[in-house]
Amino acid sequence: MSFKCEGADKDQLVTSLAAILLTDSGAEVTAESIEAVLSGTGNKVPAYFPTLYASYIAKAGSLDKFFQGPGSGGGAPAAGGAPAAGGAAAPAAAAPVEEEVDALDGGMDMFGGGGGGGDY
């Protein structure tokens, strides 16, 4: 199985990978360092790519902000967020408590019998 990537897609990929490499190695992500990685790997991209990527990463504070952590899911933020009138934050609503229900309690077992516990 091979992966083919050409043109602008390749330019974006190799520039992104260069930025990730620099971040993982603890080096500062600058246009010059991205250019150095690209030239060291034999890749050529348009001259504005390293500058563009470095400026986006600098504005974000780090490349880590572009990646989700394990289990974060990337879902929508929780409701709320805006303070109530008068500058005080609205009190948090108590989360409803759910009871744990035993799957075999008062019902059939997975074989259609009456509550399990018998011979299989």
Side-chain angles (χ1 to χ4, degrees), residues 63-114:
L63 193 60
D64 296 333
K65 294 193 180 211
F66 293 100
F67 297 106
Q68 297 291 326
S72 63
V97 177
E98 294 184 25
E99 287 186 34
E100 185 175 321
V101 178
D102 185 8
L104 298 177
D105 188 30
M108 295 188 296
D109 64 12
M110 66 185 220
F111 301 106

Side-chain angles (χ1 to χ4, degrees), residues 28-56:
E28 187 177 356
V29 181
T30 63
E32 294 80 24
S33 61
I34 292 173
E35 288 172 8
V37 170
L38 292 174
S39 66
T41 58
N43 289 289
K44 295 183 186 209
V45 297
Y48 66 92
F49 266 58
T51 305
L52 182 68
Y53 277 65
S55 68
Y56 279 143

